[in-house]
Amino acid sequence: LQVFPLREKGLQGSAMTDALRPALEAGVEFENFAGSGDTSGTDSMDTTLSLSSVLELGNKRDARIAVADARINQLQAEREVAALDVSGEVARRFLDALLAQERLELSREAETLATEMLQTVKRRNDVGAGTQTDVLRARASLEQAKLVTANAAGMARTTRILLASLWGDSEPDFLTVSGDLLAVGSQEPVNALFDRASRNPSIRALASDIRLRDAEIRVAQANSSRDINWSVGVRRFNETDDTALVAGMSMPLFSEKRNAGALQSAQAARDEAALQQEITLQQLKARLQVLHVQRQQSLDAVRVLKSSVIPLQEQALQSIRAAYASGQTGYQEWLISRQELLSARLALLDSADESHRLRIEIEQLTAEPLLTVK
């Protein structure tokens, strides 16, 4: 984003140049000298001092100024697009850090469960109700849980580094990020998103491009008008020591015909910009509809996992744990139940993460936050 003020400064400099009127030119002309006969030497030399310029017709200067202003406005629209892209990237990297933090917490819970499982298996084995094989398997499960926790901690640190790099820090000065990953919000009607899509900076940038092309058409039309070259001056006749005023003017012929190609090119560029705006808006609406459907699916998954699947699996794990302690079931059933619960919790995190990512993309397309998200 820091390059945009520099670009704007450059465009403002070009605008200053485009606003200038045609320059005045001073000239001097010598005639009838260094010849032969009566024109030898400088006795018969005539000297003319002149001032000349161009009289622009067709409001060419106003047309150039309009093009310069349109370019600056287009740059501002491009800056809005870039700013929206940057904010989206910040949101995604923050979400990466939050998800990695939640996965680390889940892996620590899994490690705690593995530790409790090993202790229970040992107690059963000590009283002769279990087997040494179960103890070995429980130890292996605990070591594997520790390895997952270590990997999750490394991933959490990596995501924090990537987040901090967005503001120029190579080493983050924070250990956690704050947020509720499961606060996924709700959906808005897709038609409401369509209405807001027209305010997307990308659409405004295309509209600015159309205005720029319109200004360029006006420049091409203005260039079809003939300019008048004029000059005035004073001529001194050295031979008689007399002076006289001189004046002249000229204009190009067939300017309109010679400029027809430039006008046709400018009109084609304008038509292309208008068509591109229409196509982009159609594609944007189609993309919004797809995202709306996908986000609803992720919201449904979060709701079912959170309110139904995970509570049922927690009850099942408690029941199997008690049954194992009393010798009514085996180690394998307990291990499977624990893994099912951890998998469901991980699926919940992934579904919530997907919902937030889809929300971020929708917000980028509409250039507004989803108001129902808390």
Side-chain angles (χ1 to χ4, degrees):
L1 294 178
Q2 294 177 3
V3 303
F4 284 93
L6 300 177
R7 293 178 183 174
E8 184 175 1
K9 187 175 181 180
L11 289 178
Q12 288 173 345
S14 299
M16 292 172 60
T17 301
D18 291 334
L20 295 175
R21 299 183 185 277
L24 293 173
E25 296 183 6
V28 59
E29 183 178 351
F30 303 100
E31 298 181 11
N32 301 326
F33 70 98
S36 60
D38 292 340
T39 60
S40 62
T42 59
D43 292 339
S44 299
M45 182 176 67
D46 299 334
T47 304
T48 304
L49 298 176
S50 63
L51 186 67
S52 62
S53 186
V54 176
L55 180 61
E56 287 187 323
L57 301 180
N59 295 322
K60 291 184 176 64
R61 177 172 173 270
D62 292 341
R64 290 195 304 269
I65 293 175
V67 168
D69 291 341
R71 285 173 178 163
I72 293 176
N73 291 334
Q74 185 185 41
L75 180 67
Q76 293 172 347
E78 292 173 355
R79 184 187 183 282
E80 291 181 11
V81 174
L84 194 60
D85 290 341
V86 170
S87 65
E89 183 62 21
V90 172
R92 278 185 285 270
R93 293 198 190 185
F94 177 85
L95 185 58
D96 289 339
L98 182 60
L99 177 63
Q101 184 173 289
E102 293 293 334
R103 284 179 171 174
L104 175 59
E105 184 63 27
L106 181 60
S107 67
R108 287 171 176 166
E109 292 179 13
E111 187 176 336
T112 299
L113 288 176
T115 301
E116 294 175 353
M117 179 177 287
L118 177 60
Q119 293 172 350
T120 302
V121 171
K122 282 183 176 180
R123 284 195 297 268
R124 283 199 61 189
N125 185 62
D126 291 341
V127 298
T131 65
Q132 185 63 26
T133 301
D134 289 346
V135 174
L136 294 175
R137 294 175 66 185
R139 285 178 177 174
S141 179
L142 176 58
E143 292 302 318
Q144 189 174 13
K146 291 180 178 179
L147 181 60
V148 172
T149 299
N151 291 336
M155 179 59 68
R157 172 171 166 74
T158 298
T159 56
R160 292 196 301 269
I161 292 174
L162 292 175
L163 177 60
S165 69
L166 287 175
W167 51 83
D169 288 347
S170 58
E171 185 67 28
D173 59 356
F174 56 94
L175 296 178
T176 60
V177 295
S178 178
D180 185 359
L181 188 65
L182 300 184
V184 293
S186 58
Q187 283 277 64
E188 285 191 36
V190 68
N191 289 334
L193 300 179
F194 288 166
D195 292 339
R196 291 155 57 182
S198 60
R199 297 191 289 273
N200 183 289
S202 298
I203 301 300
R204 292 203 297 270
L206 291 173
S208 297
D209 188 44
I210 292 175
R211 289 191 289 270
L212 173 59
R213 302 307 176 188
D214 286 336
E216 290 175 345
I217 289 175
R218 290 192 291 272
V219 168
Q221 292 172 337
N223 288 336
S224 298
S225 302
R226 301 180 182 91
D227 292 334
I228 297 176
N229 301 303
W230 59 267
S231 64
V232 294
V234 178
R235 177 172 295 173
R236 179 180 180 278
F237 300 94
N238 197 34
E239 190 173 19
T240 61
D241 200 25
D242 294 328
T243 59
L245 293 177
V246 294
M249 61 175 293
S250 66
M251 65 174 59
L253 299 177
F254 313 114
S255 297
E256 184 174 351
K257 185 177 296 186
R258 293 178 63 86
N259 198 51
L263 182 59
Q264 178 178 328
S265 177
Q267 184 63 54
R270 196 271 180 201
D271 293 342
E272 180 183 352
L275 180 60
Q276 187 61 50
Q277 183 188 38
E278 180 180 353
I279 293 173
T280 301
L281 188 57
Q282 291 174 350
Q283 292 176 340
L284 188 149
K285 288 184 176 181
R287 180 60 180 161
L288 275 176
Q289 194 162 6
V290 171
L291 292 173
H292 190 270
V293 172
Q294 292 176 339
R295 186 164 187 266
Q296 187 60 55
Q297 292 173 343
S298 65
L299 291 175
D300 291 341
V302 169
R303 177 180 54 80
V304 173
L305 287 167
K306 186 176 180 180
S307 64
S308 178
V309 174
I310 291 178
L312 291 174
Q313 289 183 340
E314 288 175 341
Q315 294 176 16
L317 181 61
Q318 292 175 358
S319 176
I320 291 177
R321 180 186 299 170
Y324 179 81
S326 62
Q328 298 178 4
T329 188
Y331 171 81
Q332 186 67 23
E333 287 76 11
W334 188 10
L335 180 62
I336 291 175
S337 180
R338 189 197 73 172
Q339 288 301 119
E340 287 177 346
L341 175 59
L342 293 176
S343 296
R345 288 182 175 177
L346 185 59
L348 175 61
L349 294 180
D350 289 340
S351 296
D353 174 67
E354 180 67 14
S355 174
H356 285 297
R357 293 185 188 280
L358 292 169
R359 175 181 58 83
I360 291 170
E361 190 167 353
I362 290 173
E363 289 179 349
Q364 282 195 265
L365 294 180
T366 60
E368 295 180 17
L370 298 184
L371 302 180
T372 56
V373 174
K374 299 180 181 179

